[in-house]
Amino acid sequence: MTLDEFFRIGTTLTLGSHRFEPEAIKAFARKYDPQIFHIDEEAAKKSVLGGLCASGWHTAATWMKLNLQTRLDAEGWDGPVPEFGPSPGFKNLKWLKPVFAGQTITFTRTALSHRPVASRPGWRLLALLCEATDSTGGKVLEFESAVLVKVE
């Protein structure tokens, strides 16, 4: 098995789904993003979004939680299992559609590539496409992420 096969380069993995309940939306928003369309159902109806919806940060945090719960399968790998380190960041974050209360969102990741990190021998930088879709298949979240991976 190659590293490309281990990382499943080009394959989209489903991380799981999450239903965004009104009380959880409001609790997250009161703590981290207290905009009216995230915390007040009646005011949200009159807002530009037309209803209570989750903060984009809430959807991104849910992607991260599900991503960390979904570990890569090392079955068939004959070398040391790579150690996953921190992420140096992300880019091109897009909240494409509101996530309304009661919607179930499905989260995915696609490993795009990996390369050696010159300043850190033995480490590689794994590039990911991170996405989330609603029940109609409409994309609600998209961003590109990177993660450091130590390969012996």
Side-chain angles (χ1 to χ4, degrees):
M1 178 184 279
T2 67
L3 272 177
D4 282 2
E5 291 167 326
F6 180 83
F7 292 135
R8 298 182 184 157
I9 299 299
T11 301
T12 299
L13 298 175
T14 299
L15 306 175
S17 296
H18 177 80
R19 182 176 169 88
F20 286 83
E21 299 293 351
E23 290 311 312
I25 288 171
K26 291 185 266 186
F28 183 96
R30 280 192 295 270
K31 196 167 185 179
Y32 301 109
D33 190 0
Q35 296 183 75
I36 200 72
F37 38 80
H38 300 321
I39 59 174
D40 183 320
E41 291 183 57
E42 288 307 311
K45 289 177 188 174
K46 299 173 190 167
S47 77
V48 67
L49 297 173
L52 184 71
C53 62
S55 166
W57 296 111
H58 191 172
T59 58
T62 302
W63 180 93
M64 187 63 182
K65 178 183 176 184
L66 293 172
N67 179 58
L68 291 175
Q69 289 174 347
T70 306
R71 301 290 181 201
L72 289 174
D73 183 3
E75 186 178 329
W77 179 246
D78 61 0
V81 175
E83 171 191 341
F84 285 79
S87 170
F90 64 91
K91 61 184 179 179
N92 298 323
L93 174 62
K94 298 173 189 167
W95 293 305
L96 300 162
K97 290 172 61 175
V99 173
F100 291 101
Q103 282 189 300
T104 297
I105 303 301
T106 300
F107 297 84
T108 62
R109 74 165 178 243
T110 306
L112 302 174
S113 63
H114 58 93
R115 64 169 177 79
V117 179
S119 63
R120 297 193 180 273
W123 287 86
R124 300 188 75 76
L125 188 66
L126 177 63
L128 303 169
L129 175 62
C130 312
E131 299 175 303
T133 56
D134 63 21
S135 61
T136 69
K139 202 180 301 184
V140 300
L141 171 73
E142 177 181 274
F143 62 98
E144 298 164 42
S145 183
V147 64
L148 290 169
V149 184
K150 188 172 187 178
V151 180
E152 300 280 336

